[in-house]
Amino acid sequence: MSLIPTQAFSAHQNDRDTLHLLVQSWATLFAYWQLSARKKRMVQDHFEADWLLLQPTLRFYETIVEQAVSAPLSDTISELPLPEGGCCFLNGFLPGRLYFAELGIKNEQGQFLLLLRSNTIQTPHIHTNQEFPSNDVTLDNQVTYRPTAVSIQRMASIAHEHFSAYSVYLPKYTNPADSEFGGDLD
C-alpha cells in the first residue's frame, strides 16, 4: 500500500499549508504563510462563517525548547490579527530567545484554535559592548507589525477517577455481582 501525497487533493501544486519564520535582525522577524484553499474552506464550512469573521490570528510564543510540540514552556505569548497578504515584518522580539508562531482562528468563546505551526527560530544575541540599534532596516513600502502581549489563563485538568481512554474502571466499592457478566451470585 502506498501513501497518497496531500498535494494530490489540492487543485494546484502550490496550494499548501505553510507558516515560516525568518530572522531579519535581533528584534525583527519576517513571517510568511499560506493556508490551503481546502483547509480554509473546511474551517469555514465547519463554523458556517466567513473567513474574516473567524478572526484569523498570528500568535507568537517564546520557548525554551527547540521544538515545543505540545505546549509552549513560557508565559510570554503575543498575537496580532492576521495581516492581509501572505507575509509581514514583525518587531518587538528580544535578542537570544527562541520563538515560534501559530496561525489560528478564534471561536465564539474567544479561544484560539490552532491551524498551522511554524518552525522555531532563535533571535541573534547582542554582545554587551554593542548598543541596541535604534531602528531596523526594512523596505520603505513594508509595514512592520508589533504583536501585543496576551494573558492566557491555564486551566487545571479535571481528574476523572473512573475514566481511561481505553477502558472504564469500576468504582472501588462495588459488589462482585455487579462487576461480573451473566447475572448475580446468589
Side-chain angles (χ1 to χ4, degrees):
M1 178 155 75
S2 64
L3 298 175
I4 300 172
T6 56
Q7 286 84 10
F9 297 115
S10 296
H12 303 287
Q13 285 263 341
N14 295 332
D15 189 26
R16 61 179 70 167
D17 296 318
T18 303
L19 176 57
H20 201 78
L21 294 179
L22 299 170
V23 176
Q24 196 241 357
S25 73
W26 66 271
T28 304
L29 304 179
F30 180 74
Y32 66 89
W33 60 89
Q34 179 179 346
L35 191 64
S36 66
R38 180 174 183 229
K39 184 177 274 190
K40 193 173 184 179
R41 190 172 47 251
M42 177 192 68
V43 171
Q44 288 176 330
D45 289 348
H46 176 78
F47 289 100
E48 298 177 346
D50 184 58
W51 177 248
L52 292 178
L53 293 177
L54 296 172
Q55 301 176 52
T57 302
L58 273 178
R59 186 172 272 190
F60 300 89
Y61 298 87
E62 180 184 328
T63 182
I64 58 174
V65 188
E66 184 64 33
Q67 283 296 328
V69 176
S70 60
L73 298 174
S74 171
D75 292 329
T76 307
I77 300 170
S78 55
E79 69 181 28
L80 71 136
L82 187 68
E84 289 292 323
C87 62
C88 66
F89 284 98
L90 305 144
N91 68 17
F93 298 94
L94 298 174
R97 305 287 174 92
L98 292 169
Y99 293 97
F100 69 93
E102 292 178 342
L103 189 154
I105 59 168
K106 291 193 175 180
N107 66 10
E108 293 171 349
Q109 292 79 31
Q111 296 168 316
F112 181 80
L113 305 174
L114 170 67
L115 297 174
L116 298 175
R117 181 171 283 161
S118 77
N119 57 315
T120 302
I121 55 92
Q122 182 172 13
T123 54
H125 292 276
I126 291 184
H127 301 291
T128 54
N129 58 357
Q130 283 182 289
E131 289 185 24
F132 285 90
S134 59
N135 57 8
D136 293 319
V137 177
T138 60
L139 299 175
D140 291 334
N141 59 351
Q142 289 288 335
V143 176
T144 302
Y145 294 88
R146 185 180 187 100
T148 56
V150 292
S151 175
I152 297 176
Q153 292 181 330
R154 307 242 187 245
M155 297 179 64
S157 60
I158 300 169
H160 294 286
E161 184 178 341
H162 305 294
F163 178 77
S164 168
Y166 300 102
S167 61
V168 175
Y169 295 101
L170 296 173
K172 296 176 186 175
Y173 307 106
T174 58
N175 294 329
D178 293 338
S179 63
E180 293 182 9
F181 297 107
D184 47 289
L185 297 175
D186 293 331

